[in-house]
Amino acid sequence: MALADTALHLSQVLDIAYPALSRFDIPRRSASHKAGGWTNHQILGHLVDSAANNHQKFVRLAASPRLSLDGYGQDDWVSMQRYE
């Protein structure tokens, strides 16, 4: 896929996703699904962080003959990013 095609596709995805995500009101975004659990904001942030971390792992594994994967402290990442 050419860079221009990728950019167009991403733009189309954002055109759909942004309005859908914007419809969540503040109480719903800040709600936790269980006592002591992450809020919807935190879950979405975690999914973005996790995707970024996993992408780096795939690239590093493809570029290196040695298997070495760093961990992902998801609770620390979510806390430091202050998604709530």
Side-chain angles (χ1 to χ4, degrees), residues 10-52:
L10 178 58
S11 178
Q12 291 168 339
V13 168
L14 291 174
D15 286 344
I16 295 167
Y18 183 79
L21 292 172
S22 296
R23 284 193 290 271
F24 285 94
D25 58 18
I26 297 296
R28 191 167 167 198
R29 283 183 258 175
S30 301
S32 177
H33 296 277
K34 64 179 182 176
W38 285 347
T39 66
N40 290 321
H41 268 170
Q42 291 169 318
I43 291 169
L44 181 58
H46 157 69
L47 291 173
V48 172
D49 289 343
S50 181

